[in-house]
Amino acid sequence: VFWYQQPPRDGLKLVVSCSTWSHNSYEEGYSEAKFEVNRERTDYTLMTIKNLTPKDEATYFCAASDH
């Protein structure tokens, strides 16, 4: 699963990628302390953004691959 952030008038930015067999992999500038990802089941994932500020205004997308 991949989580993306799209700030207003900007392109997509990858925040984190996660899978059932490895740890979450955060891109530079993003951290688990801010963007917490829970993947309790293989068919469900949730990203929680903590301590929101105006800088966090964006549209957030997730993308999944079924291998």
Side-chain angles (χ1 to χ4, degrees), residues 10-58:
D10 204 350
L12 287 175
K13 299 176 181 181
L14 179 61
V15 175
V16 60
S17 59
C18 54
S19 68
T20 55
W21 62 87
S22 67
H23 293 291
N24 297 343
S25 178
Y26 287 85
E27 295 298 302
E28 188 173 332
Y30 298 96
S31 70
E32 185 173 13
K34 179 75 174 177
F35 298 92
E36 180 183 76
V37 176
N38 277 321
R39 188 154 187 209
E40 297 172 6
R41 303 186 317 256
T42 57
D43 63 342
Y44 178 83
T45 184
L46 174 72
M47 182 173 75
T48 303
I49 306 167
K50 298 179 177 181
N51 301 315
L52 285 171
T53 69
K55 280 182 56 178
D56 299 317
E57 181 183 354

